[in-house]
Amino acid sequence: QDVITGKVIDAKTREPLPGATVIVQGTNLATTTDSEGTYRLTVSSPNGKITVSYVGFLAKTIDLANQKKIDVELEPNISMLEDVVVIGYGTAKKSDITGSVASLTEKSFNKGVNVSAEQLIAGKVSGVQIIQNSGEPGGGITVNIRGMGSLNAGNSPLYVVDGFPIDNSTTVSGTGANFTGMRTARNPLNSINPADIASIEVLKDASATAIYGSRGANGVVLITTKRGKEGGLKVNYDTYYGVQNVMNDIDLLSANDYKAVMNSLIDAGAGSANLKIGEFSGGTDWLKRMYHKNAPIKSHNLSFSGGNQSTKYYTSLNYFDQDGLLINSSNKRYSARVNLEHTNKNFTVGTNITSSYVADSYVANGFDLNERAGIIYAAIAYEPTLSIYDQDNNYVLSKNMNIDNPLAIANGKTSTSDLYRTLGNVYGEVKFLTDFSARLNLGADITSQRRDTYVDRQTIEGRANGGIASVLTGTNNSFLSELTLNYKKRFGNQDLNVLFGTTAQQFNANDLTSQGSGFPSDATKTDNLSLGDPTRFIATSSRSRNSLLSYLGRVNYNIAEKYLLTGSLRIDGSSRFGENNKYGVFPSFAFAWRLENEEFIKNAEYITALKLRSSWGQTGNQAIDNYQSLTTYTTGQKAVIGSQQVSTTTPNRVPNPNLKWETSEQLNFGLDFGLWGNRITGSLDWYTKTTRDMLLNLPIPRTTGFTTMMTNIGSVRNSGFEVLINSNNLSGPLSWETTLNMTWMNNKVLNLGGIDNIFTGSAGGTANVAIIKVGLPMYAFYGYTIDGVWQTGDDFTATKDNVKPGDFKYRDLNGDKIVNADDRQVIGNPFPKFMASLTNNFTYKGFNLNVFFDGAWGAKMLNNNLVDTYFPANLLRNRLSEPLLNRWTPSNPSAVYPSFVNPLGQGKKEVNTYTVESADFLRLNTVKLGYDFSIKNSAVKGVGVFVTAQNLAMWTKYKGYDPSINPNGGGVRIDWNAFPTARTILFGLNLNL
Amino acid sequence: CNDFLKEEVFSQLAPENYLKTKEGLTSVLYETYAKAANMNGNNSIYVLGPQEFVTDILYQSGDNVEATIRNYRDFNWDPNMDFLIQNWDSYYQCVRNANILLENIPGSNLSAAEKTLYEAEARFLRAVSYYKLYFFFGTVPLRTSSSQGLSLPRASEDELKQFIAAELKFSLENLPNPGAEAQKYRAHKAAASGYLIKFYLNTKNWNEASTVSAQFLSSFKTYSLFATYKDMFKVDNENNNEYIWVRPAIASSDRVTANSWSNVSFPDNFKSAPEVGLVFKSTWLNWPNEFRIYDKFYDTFEAADKRRELMITYYINASDQRVELRGSDNIRSFKYWPDPNNVGAAHGNDIPEIRLADILLSRAEALNELNGPSTEALQLVNQVRTRAGLPGLKLENVATKEAFRDMILLERGHEFFNEGHRRMDLIRTGKFISDAQARGKNAQPFQLVFPIPQVVIDSDPVIQQNPNY
């Protein structure tokens, strides 16, 4: 018999672990460590194995191999199977979860610049597609959990911050007169400081989301902010500074190439000889002039936290300041938070409050053309042979196109916004009768915003109107009142947990917009509208309200830690729906089987955890505009009566008193596993989600004077397979951990209520980009197939169209020798078929390295800047260089690129297999290298420094700035005049006191 | 609890009480006028344009709309073409509003006289909308009440024609006399009479056209030809005595009542046009979208014709060079003389729909079709020619009905270019297709009507497309 001793410590903190269990394998021999983390054990054989385990740490098995002293370092259990996970209206142990819930904590959040909460988890959760709409600082983000199921009722998940379901709509949606904006507004979630977030749970299947009823169909994102922990005051200061540059520029014709190409096109008959480009001096790379080189980004975050047994506190201050890659654009945030909780025996009271100020500065850029265009459109089109200024030092104006000077737009059109948001809740919880507790939660979310836009006389439009000033203001607020009752009881080896609740929430919005023009001077901008021409003032305002009243219940039943049953029900009433359908019922059931606790599995040594999950449920979607079930009269088209314009009223819509929510029915099968002492953990999930009674703007006979009626009709199915694997490849001094996420998705329209198809999507002169049709994915690209270019020797009797060598050869699908609208077909899917991400974390001594790759395959995007290249509004507009430099000429009979001599000769077939490009990409998303100094000084607990690179490399064939964005927002993917994506290098410091 | 879920409407109006009041009905009536005028955005030019792109007057090129307008020009029409729906929706919205008005007027607090007036106005605007739809698309569904089913097939030719004529006659009886209307741009008897004349003329009901035009000329004597043709279309002269009914325009930044013509008439880098004394103002916009007059059309004018003075054959560009326009089918028309008080792209020139010259020439045409050339008919044409600075036609020089028909058609071309009458004038005289074929277009007889917009057919499959589209 030998006596073995040793010490068990936390491999990360080097702190001893008191109470760790040490077991001799195959025996009943066991002990626990003392307060110093040491143990002492008598073993019968010197060659056995011991297993050391501790809650929250990965168990370790060690060969005794005749050793007498064995010190053990335990790695914290990264997969956190035993962690508490936030679920709707409560929490649960991760191992007890029956639904499909992805949980991420601070540790696994994305490194680098995260302006908003979604960016923390972008690419990290299988089944969740998070698309940045553009590279605009603080720009909009599209989040789709398990695909898109709705055409008109929105596809955004419900965000719940510390139990408060927030209204994530924009407060001021307009941009101001004559100011081109992005199609999607900046992200309303920006007002919540990501550094305050402790964890984000993504509820994916119906078992998890049904408790949110009519708002659960698109999934739910639960955001939990940081709390204080027992112990003394902890001060944490994080800061970083970074520079941003364009990740992937687009190549235009240079001044010399432009001159050569245009003159040769004119020689070939593309235009009259007087358009020829003569000598020029210098020229301008307009696009480069739009970029803010080394655009700075900085963040400071300071928090104080701590507490004792009864009271815990966390408070923070944040300053974030990002300049956009395009000149004159920026996003700043100042925020503060206080989270407090006090517990006194059976009573707990707490509050979470955050208040923030977001200051945005915009540059005119977006989906508009010609004299209304933004800077990227203008910079692409403007002749590179021009100088910026004329001899009088005024901005040069192109004589060949009706577009303002790009710098005049950038400097002459200004727009800023100030947004103030306070989000807070107060809660109290009482425990009574041993097994019961009741919780009251009251909250408010109040946002107010003002945007000021001025178009001055440097611009064509400003001159034409004597300056144009717009002031847009708005307020959104929402109030929540929620009472829940919990019953928790253990009967032998069975646990029962029952939740009942009722909740009411009201959303109010109002806005006021004023506009003036004809100012005597540009000096007062938007600060004195009354100086404008009194006959040209325009003012509009509106107010709306909607309410939800709900009853909810949930039962969790756990039998012997083996069989887990969950059932939930929510009854939701919504003011948005018709008189005949105010209330909806949303049930769900789930069953999970923890196989690891079954005898027949227990013997399989390598299986640490194994759980099978199945769930079914129904959720709803009510995210439509207010008043869709009523007929109302609203502002009509102005008429000219007498000698002036008069306001009028118009009937708004055909009423539908039967209007109700969309219903999504979802079936999910999943498997959670942990192998070799949870060294490898993971989840597999398969789901199918069918949305029916879609809220569709059903086209109705246009002879009614209306075009659509909001109707519950049609269905869409999303199905998919999700894989998450987490592996601790190495532990010890050099540790290496890998996380792999994979998602396969499939979207299909099942029924459109008898409508053959719906065309949608437009940008500039490009219309009907996508089709919605039964049997296809939603928003499939629909257009012409290009089979190369007509060559001199081709058989031209094959077509009746007027084509010449060097013209596009469009595929004549129906063989009638004419290529027209009947020859269009599906040419792409806007949704990726497969998405994946791979994260590797290495630590060695004080160093840590995080490398994150992500990618998506199978999706396409319309590159509308390529449309402008192939079908220019006029000859002399500059364009993307590659097609023009390699164009077809008699001496260079390209099979790929046309001659550009008569680009409109066959009409404008904008949506085709050239302009709808593959958006496949693989990206080295983030690399972060950090070093934590080991500090002996007691005043300072930790100092770390890091350098982070974002968007370091992108492998793609896409010809625009970035294939991973969607400047159009929503389902139709269109890239046009996108705000470029940044490659960012950050340097940072963490300080713990 | 149910109160909590009651949908409260703050910024919109509930119809129950609103449509019982004069204010409510007036406000809806005003929108009915706006929909009939169809001047929102660029609809001024895209309602007028298809009536001339398909004729010998003008064509368009430049900018994103070129691909669409080329289809009109080349008779390559398909139901998905743009500018078809712009000529459909606004009129059915007008019909929708008119029907709502007609259903709510009886139960409202209007006085008896007001009820008669509002009913006559609603029926006038509805009839004008059907008139425009009929001559653009052929027969269309006839919606006369809000309670008809959503789906509605096309009416028969007779049904629609009888409806238009009967409604215009009702309006003619019940509307006020011109000058007695409550406000400028509201309907009056002369407008109803004018449309009735044009309706009979275009449906070749020469007898009725002759009768009603005679009544017009004897009843509404306040109208006279404006002395200076060149100045008639300027914003300053909108209150002239020749305009009978117009699509009213007022320049405003929202461009809902805008005339966009000037933006498409300036040639590239336009600085000035010495021929007409026009100098570019920095507040005007010069679009890449260009409307160009054919040389051949310009050449049909007699040298002395003052109406030609609204077109320019050359200009001075921003680099002070003289640029010729004539010779390359690039002549520009400044009929809608740029508005000195424009707001951005919006100019305030009203677009005449019916003016006295049209009544005179219409009557002359009806008389010729009934009885051949006559002194009275020639005298009507000569009034118009005299104002244009041309010698009168003499009966001895007008040999036949056919010759006179051609002369009237030519005269109408010179008098009404850019007013959107050319397509119907050519159709009525049987030259629309042959004339296009002579210009080398692949025009076919079925193209006397445009195709019904595809979105309309998609929205209601009982609506049958016009043959051959």
Side-chain angles (χ1 to χ4, degrees):
Chain A
Q1 283 200 341
D2 292 318
V3 175
I4 311 217
T5 59
K7 191 171 181 183
V8 180
I9 63 166
D10 179 338
K12 286 266 147 51
T13 63
R14 321 298 296 172
E15 300 280 325
L17 294 174
T21 310
V22 183
I23 299 177
V24 182
Q25 282 208 351
T27 72
N28 291 326
L29 284 173
T31 184
T32 52
T33 55
D34 62 16
S35 60
E36 299 294 309
T38 56
Y39 68 94
R40 185 184 172 86
L41 198 63
T42 312
V43 295
S44 48
S45 154
N47 293 317
K49 286 179 180 174
I50 57 168
T51 298
V52 184
S53 58
Y54 187 71
V55 175
F57 287 78
L58 290 171
K60 217 169 187 179
T61 302
I62 296 160
D63 255 325
L64 292 176
N66 288 318
Q67 300 173 88
K68 293 282 173 333
K69 188 166 187 311
I70 301 176
D71 289 341
V72 182
E73 293 181 11
L74 289 187
E75 295 286 332
N77 184 349
I78 294 135
S79 66
M80 310 210 170
L81 273 176
E82 285 313 303
D83 271 5
V84 166
V85 171
V86 182
I87 57 172
Y89 303 94
T91 57
K93 277 198 301 186
K94 176 137 192 171
S95 57
D96 288 348
I97 296 280
T98 51
S100 180
V101 177
S103 174
L104 279 91
T105 56
E106 198 177 5
K107 191 172 166 297
S108 36
F109 287 160
N110 281 323
K111 318 298 176 203
V113 179
N114 294 301
V115 187
S116 74
E118 310 96 312
Q119 289 171 317
L120 295 172
I121 59 166
K124 298 277 182 177
V125 185
S126 51
V128 180
Q129 191 184 17
I130 298 182
I131 296 186
Q132 189 89 36
N133 293 334
S134 77
E136 187 181 16
I141 293 176
T142 303
V143 177
N144 291 320
I145 297 177
R146 293 192 163 174
M148 285 188 137
S150 183
L151 289 167
N152 294 108
N155 287 286
S156 294
L158 173 69
Y159 293 95
V160 180
V161 179
D162 292 325
F164 189 102
I166 60 167
D167 170 13
N168 202 36
S169 58
T170 48
T171 314
V172 167
S173 48
T175 57
N178 301 71
F179 190 89
T180 304
M182 305 301 292
R183 278 231 165 133
T184 52
R186 289 195 182 177
N187 186 359
L189 263 190
N190 288 348
S191 48
I192 291 165
N193 174 16
D196 284 340
I197 296 174
S199 72
I200 296 180
E201 268 81 16
V202 180
L203 312 185
K204 298 194 283 192
D205 73 345
S207 156
T209 59
I211 198 78
Y212 288 103
S214 65
R215 291 177 290 175
N218 296 323
V220 180
V221 177
L222 304 178
I223 296 171
T224 307
T225 58
K226 292 176 180 168
R227 262 104 259 262
K229 291 195 179 90
E230 238 178 276
L233 171 68
K234 271 189 177 168
V235 181
N236 190 293
Y237 170 67
D238 292 321
T239 183
Y240 60 75
Y241 177 85
V243 292
Q244 312 160 82
N245 284 293
V246 176
M247 171 182 74
N248 183 15
D249 209 348
I250 49 182
D251 291 323
L252 303 175
L253 289 173
S254 67
N256 286 321
D257 285 344
Y258 171 83
K259 181 183 166 190
V261 168
M262 292 304 161
N263 287 348
S264 118
L265 286 177
I266 290 166
D267 287 341
S272 63
N274 64 8
L275 294 175
K276 274 206 169 184
I277 295 154
E279 289 309 306
F280 64 93
S281 61
T284 307
D285 185 338
W286 292 103
L287 214 42
K288 281 241 156 36
R289 301 290 310 210
M290 300 299 111
Y291 298 151
H292 184 166
K293 211 177 168 206
N294 293 326
I297 181 165
K298 42 195 181 258
S299 163
H300 298 277
N301 203 67
L302 178 64
S303 70
F304 303 88
S305 64
N308 54 32
Q309 249 180 340
S310 58
T311 306
K312 298 180 179 71
Y313 61 90
Y314 170 88
T315 181
S316 75
L317 295 166
N318 169 250
Y319 166 66
F320 174 81
D321 181 354
Q322 179 179 15
D323 278 5
L325 278 185
L326 296 182
I327 52 179
N328 300 334
S329 65
S330 67
N331 170 249
K332 285 189 182 73
R333 174 182 54 225
Y334 304 82
S335 78
R337 166 174 292 278
V338 177
N339 288 355
L340 286 174
E341 189 172 87
H342 178 79
T343 309
N344 181 358
K345 227 179 159 188
N346 290 327
F347 185 70
T348 301
V349 62
T351 183
N352 306 301
I353 298 176
T354 184
S355 196
S356 58
Y357 162 49
V358 175
D360 282 306
S361 177
Y362 303 82
V363 65
N365 188 48
F367 276 42
D368 220 332
L369 71 173
N370 296 341
E371 78 277 5
R372 302 184 302 277
I375 63 170
I376 293 288
Y377 180 90
I380 291 176
Y382 243 52
E383 296 102 314
T385 47
L386 291 178
S387 314
I388 296 174
Y389 303 99
D390 63 16
Q391 59 273 30
D392 304 324
N393 227 20
N394 293 318
Y395 286 120
V396 155
L397 279 181
S398 166
K399 292 174 178 171
N400 297 306
M401 57 196 82
N402 177 39
I403 303 176
D404 210 343
N405 183 300
L407 276 157
I409 303 172
N411 296 320
K413 295 190 172 185
T414 49
S415 184
T416 58
S417 133
D418 294 311
L419 180 146
Y420 302 89
R421 183 175 199 170
T422 298
L423 167 65
N425 61 334
V426 175
Y427 56 90
E429 191 172 324
V430 184
K431 288 194 175 123
F432 59 98
L433 300 175
T434 324
D435 304 318
F436 288 89
S437 65
R439 182 183 170 96
L440 178 69
N441 183 16
L442 302 172
D445 179 12
I446 297 161
T447 309
S448 110
Q449 188 180 5
R450 168 172 160 145
R451 181 158 174 174
D452 292 69
T453 299
Y454 190 74
V455 177
D456 74 18
R457 288 175 173 82
Q458 294 177 73
T459 65
I460 296 176
E461 292 190 306
R463 281 192 294 281
N465 292 284
I468 310 164
S470 315
V471 180
L472 302 87
T473 64
T475 305
N476 280 1
N477 60 51
S478 126
F479 301 101
L480 174 79
S481 157
E482 196 173 274
L483 182 66
T484 48
L485 187 66
N486 213 305
Y487 171 72
K488 211 170 177 177
K489 180 90 183 168
R490 188 168 177 90
F491 309 92
N493 66 350
Q494 299 169 27
D495 277 306
L496 182 66
N497 191 344
V498 182
L499 171 82
F500 284 109
T502 172
T503 157
Q505 192 166 8
Q506 187 174 75
F507 301 88
N508 297 286
N510 64 61
D511 62 66
L512 167 65
T513 297
S514 333
Q515 187 191 323
S517 59
F519 293 94
S521 147
D522 287 331
T524 55
K525 294 196 161 192
T526 55
D527 296 329
N528 191 348
L529 288 181
S530 62
L531 288 175
D533 178 345
T535 63
R536 295 207 215 154
F537 289 127
I538 298 175
T540 60
S541 66
S542 78
R543 177 191 297 278
S544 67
R545 170 181 294 170
N546 75 84
S547 315
L548 281 167
L549 179 65
S550 320
Y551 307 93
L552 54 94
R554 180 172 57 210
V555 176
N556 284 314
Y557 186 40
N558 177 338
I559 304 169
E561 300 288 320
K562 285 181 191 165
Y563 312 107
L564 308 167
L565 289 149
T566 304
S568 76
L569 186 75
R570 182 166 176 137
I571 300 169
D572 251 356
S574 168
S575 65
R576 279 185 173 150
F577 294 99
E579 276 305 316
N580 308 339
N581 271 317
K582 281 283 183 214
Y583 284 90
V585 178
F586 304 95
S588 84
F589 303 100
F591 170 69
W593 183 16
R594 291 183 62 186
L595 285 158
E596 79 260 25
N597 293 334
E598 295 287 355
E599 289 303 322
F600 59 90
I601 294 282
K602 270 187 168 164
N603 298 328
E605 274 181 29
Y606 56 92
I607 296 176
T608 318
L610 189 63
K611 180 165 69 177
L612 291 174
R613 292 180 275 107
S614 60
S615 73
W616 171 91
Q618 289 183 337
T619 49
N621 187 351
Q622 60 120 29
I624 51 168
D625 288 344
N626 293 334
Y627 313 132
Q628 294 296 316
S629 74
L630 308 173
T631 284
T632 56
Y633 278 70
T634 186
T635 317
Q637 189 179 321
K638 280 184 196 155
V640 178
I641 298 287
S643 54
Q644 57 188 354
Q645 279 189 331
V646 295
S647 295
T648 71
T649 46
T650 190
N652 239 352
R653 59 185 82 78
V654 183
N656 180 356
N658 297 318
L659 202 67
K660 59 177 186 178
W661 34 84
E662 296 181 343
T663 301
S664 281
E665 185 167 330
Q666 190 176 182
L667 185 64
N668 190 96
F669 293 105
L671 171 79
D672 297 334
F673 61 87
L675 304 175
W676 294 291
N678 283 346
R679 274 187 75 148
I680 296 177
T681 56
S683 298
L684 311 177
D685 275 280
W686 175 89
Y687 67 90
T688 178
K689 176 166 132 184
T690 306
T691 305
R692 57 185 159 75
D693 298 334
M694 267 201 297
L695 286 161
L696 202 62
N697 272 317
L698 187 72
I700 56 168
R702 283 173 99 105
T703 54
T704 57
F706 296 100
T707 54
T708 59
M709 177 164 83
M710 188 60 90
T711 311
N712 290 99
I713 207 160
S715 63
V716 168
R717 186 176 64 212
N718 284 284
S719 57
F721 184 62
E722 299 161 358
V723 175
L724 163 68
I725 296 171
N726 194 75
S727 164
N728 288 289
N729 306 321
L730 287 176
S731 48
L734 172 64
S735 80
W736 174 24
E737 183 198 345
T738 301
T739 306
L740 176 67
N741 266 299
M742 294 186 286
T743 303
W744 286 264
M745 289 203 303
N746 201 334
N747 174 287
K748 193 171 173 182
V749 178
L750 300 181
N751 179 346
L752 282 178
I755 309 171
D756 281 346
N757 49 52
I758 300 170
F759 282 101
T760 182
S762 65
T766 313
N768 297 338
V769 171
I771 191 170
I772 301 162
K773 191 179 171 75
V774 171
L776 297 177
M778 278 161 79
Y779 306 115
F781 292 104
Y782 197 72
Y784 299 91
T785 302
I786 296 179
D787 290 325
V789 174
W790 285 96
Q791 303 295 336
T792 316
D794 285 350
D795 173 17
F796 284 89
T797 63
T799 177
K800 290 184 196 162
D801 288 329
N802 175 30
V803 292
K804 294 191 185 68
D807 287 345
F808 273 137
K809 192 184 270 186
Y810 294 103
R811 191 176 296 173
D812 177 15
L813 289 180
N814 57 9
D816 63 355
K817 299 193 175 188
I818 296 167
V819 177
N820 57 20
D822 299 335
D823 295 298
R824 292 174 299 168
Q825 60 179 339
V826 173
I827 56 174
N829 182 347
F831 306 109
K833 292 187 177 74
F834 176 65
M835 298 188 296
S837 78
L838 180 70
T839 311
N840 278 293
N841 272 309
F842 303 90
T843 56
Y844 180 72
K845 297 196 169 156
F847 287 98
N848 55 74
L849 176 68
N850 176 285
V851 183
F852 172 42
F853 286 91
D854 67 343
W857 291 267
K860 293 199 171 175
M861 177 153 63
L862 174 72
N863 184 344
N864 204 49
N865 289 114
L866 263 184
V867 171
D868 289 339
T869 292
Y870 287 119
F871 309 98
N874 61 33
L875 172 70
L876 292 179
R877 291 191 178 198
N878 197 10
R879 295 168 240 172
L880 302 184
S881 62
E882 192 199 338
L884 283 148
L885 292 176
N886 299 297
R887 70 192 182 281
W888 186 98
T889 62
S891 57
N892 174 40
S894 166
V896 181
Y897 296 115
S899 67
F900 291 94
V901 172
N902 188 10
L904 296 181
Q906 299 182 72
K908 227 178 143 184
K909 299 181 165 51
E910 306 102 326
V911 184
N912 60 51
T913 49
Y914 274 37
T915 56
V916 175
E917 290 196 285
S918 162
D920 290 355
F921 71 93
L922 171 65
R923 165 171 58 188
L924 176 48
N925 187 307
T926 313
V927 176
K928 179 184 177 186
L929 177 66
Y931 182 76
D932 293 323
F933 295 94
S934 55
I935 303 288
K936 300 278 185 279
N937 185 333
S938 62
V940 179
K941 295 198 185 78
V943 178
V945 292
F946 63 87
V947 53
T948 304
Q950 261 181 300
N951 290 326
L952 210 48
M954 169 83 91
W955 293 272
T956 181
K957 288 180 182 156
Y958 185 73
K959 290 193 180 73
Y961 282 119
D962 183 353
S964 74
I965 57 172
N966 180 16
N968 191 44
V972 188
R973 288 192 69 181
I974 303 174
D975 175 15
W976 194 36
N977 312 326
F979 204 107
T981 301
R983 173 173 297 139
T984 308
I985 309 287
L986 298 176
F987 303 92
L989 170 76
N990 306 323
L991 198 59
N992 291 306
L993 303 174
Chain B
C1 280
N2 278 328
D3 276 357
F4 186 71
L5 295 182
K6 186 169 168 55
E7 194 156 28
E8 271 185 89
V9 181
F10 300 100
S11 325
Q12 300 173 5
L13 297 152
E16 294 77 27
N17 300 320
Y18 183 61
L19 293 180
K20 289 199 167 63
T21 64
K22 180 178 176 181
E23 291 74 16
L25 291 172
T26 307
S27 180
V28 176
L29 175 68
Y30 284 171
E31 206 210 28
T32 317
Y33 274 100
K35 294 298 180 185
N38 201 3
M39 292 286 274
N40 192 13
N42 288 330
N43 280 7
S44 55
I45 54 175
Y46 295 136
V47 166
L48 191 161
Q51 307 283 356
E52 298 196 355
F53 299 145
V54 297
T55 71
D56 56 345
I57 294 183
L58 63 78
Y59 71 103
Q60 183 278 354
S61 68
D63 212 355
N64 290 311
V65 290
E66 178 178 341
T68 294
I69 297 178
R70 200 185 274 249
N71 290 335
Y72 283 91
R73 176 185 168 189
D74 293 341
F75 284 72
N76 188 16
W77 308 343
D78 78 73
N80 290 303
M81 282 193 304
D82 205 5
F83 311 140
L84 292 176
I85 198 68
Q86 285 88 328
N87 282 284
W88 179 284
D89 278 347
S90 197
Y91 304 127
Y92 269 106
Q93 287 156 1
C94 177
V95 168
R96 171 197 71 198
N97 287 9
N99 289 341
I100 289 171
L101 288 168
L102 294 171
E103 285 152 15
N104 285 283
I105 287 167
S108 71
N109 68 4
L110 293 180
S111 69
E114 285 167 337
K115 282 182 180 172
T116 308
L117 172 66
Y118 277 49
E119 182 186 351
E121 289 183 85
R123 288 172 71 169
F124 168 76
L125 294 168
R126 186 173 66 175
V128 168
S129 288
Y130 278 121
Y131 168 99
K132 291 180 177 179
L133 288 162
Y134 174 63
F135 290 121
F136 206 87
F137 297 107
T139 64
V140 292
L142 182 58
R143 197 171 281 282
T144 54
S145 134
S146 309
S147 51
Q148 278 164 296
L150 290 180
S151 176
L152 194 64
R154 299 173 74 160
S156 72
E157 191 90 26
D158 281 349
E159 201 183 347
L160 193 63
K161 279 161 72 173
Q162 279 168 16
F163 179 81
I164 294 169
E167 294 289 297
L168 286 172
K169 281 184 200 159
F170 176 91
S171 319
L172 176 54
E173 270 169 42
N174 292 286
L175 285 169
N177 271 310
E181 67 270 23
Q183 289 144 306
K184 185 172 156 68
Y185 299 123
R186 283 179 73 168
H188 49 69
K189 284 183 194 297
S193 174
Y195 269 107
L196 200 53
I197 295 165
K198 296 279 295 184
F199 176 75
Y200 285 134
L201 192 75
N202 282 320
T203 52
K204 303 192 192 183
N205 190 339
W206 312 116
N207 265 320
E208 289 291 344
S210 162
T211 309
V212 183
S213 60
Q215 283 167 0
F216 183 102
L217 293 174
S218 64
S219 309
F220 309 119
K221 293 193 180 294
T222 52
Y223 292 103
S224 61
L225 293 181
F226 188 75
T228 326
Y229 183 89
K230 186 163 90 83
D231 293 336
M232 178 168 29
F233 307 94
K234 288 183 173 164
V235 177
D236 285 350
N237 295 320
E238 276 178 357
N239 289 315
N240 66 62
N241 286 326
E242 183 169 343
Y243 283 3
I244 296 164
W245 189 248
V246 299
R247 299 167 61 200
I250 278 184
S252 65
S253 56
D254 54 14
R255 298 189 55 212
V256 289
T257 56
N259 185 334
S260 304
W261 184 271
S262 288
N263 310 297
V264 297
S265 50
F266 295 115
D268 290 344
N269 298 314
F270 178 84
K271 185 174 176 185
S272 65
E275 281 168 292
V276 294
L278 181 64
V279 178
F280 194 73
K281 239 180 102 183
S282 68
T283 61
W284 292 338
L285 294 173
N286 181 356
W287 285 352
N289 175 359
E290 316 261 349
F291 283 23
R292 310 169 200 263
I293 306 280
Y294 290 111
D295 289 341
K296 220 169 170 179
F297 176 70
Y298 184 82
D299 294 343
T300 61
F301 283 84
E302 292 164 61
D305 198 328
K306 289 181 179 170
R307 296 172 294 201
R308 209 175 69 162
E309 290 169 13
L310 281 170
M311 291 185 269
I312 62 167
T313 59
Y314 76 94
Y315 71 103
I316 306 301
N317 71 11
S319 315
D320 289 323
Q321 295 156 324
R322 179 184 161 122
V323 182
E324 295 302 325
L325 295 167
R326 196 174 175 183
S328 53
D329 283 335
N330 201 10
I331 290 167
R332 303 310 174 96
S333 157
F334 284 95
K335 183 164 236 177
Y336 303 104
W337 192 262
D339 181 353
N341 298 313
N342 74 309
V343 180
H347 291 248
N349 311 64
D350 293 349
I351 298 177
E353 295 250 273
I354 297 174
R355 54 188 174 89
L356 184 62
D358 197 358
I359 303 293
L360 300 177
L361 292 177
S362 296
R363 175 158 176 76
E365 187 174 332
L367 291 174
N368 181 50
E369 295 297 337
L370 288 170
N371 306 310
S374 63
T375 317
E376 189 194 353
L378 255 77
Q379 185 268 334
L380 291 164
V381 176
N382 286 343
Q383 285 185 49
V384 175
R385 284 181 62 83
T386 307
R387 192 255 307 262
L390 299 172
L393 300 173
K394 296 195 171 65
L395 195 54
E396 58 266 33
N397 298 337
V398 185
T400 62
K401 186 193 270 191
E402 290 68 32
F404 193 34
R405 183 188 293 149
D406 288 351
M407 282 178 186
I408 293 171
L409 178 65
L410 185 65
E411 204 58 46
R412 289 188 67 92
H414 294 161
E415 181 68 22
F416 301 120
F417 68 93
N418 302 161
E419 292 177 50
H421 297 329
R422 190 63 173 167
R423 174 176 157 269
M424 285 315 297
D425 290 349
L426 288 169
I427 289 175
R428 195 174 60 246
T429 50
K431 301 198 164 167
F432 181 64
I433 301 300
S434 57
D435 195 68
Q437 285 167 343
R439 292 197 311 276
K441 311 297 179 194
N442 182 26
Q444 301 294 327
F446 67 85
Q447 289 176 310
L448 293 176
V449 286
F450 286 110
I452 305 250
Q454 190 60 42
V455 285
V456 169
I457 292 185
D458 290 347
S459 77
D460 192 355
V462 305
I463 298 175
Q464 304 249 318
Q465 183 55 276
N466 285 323
N468 296 309
Y469 286 111

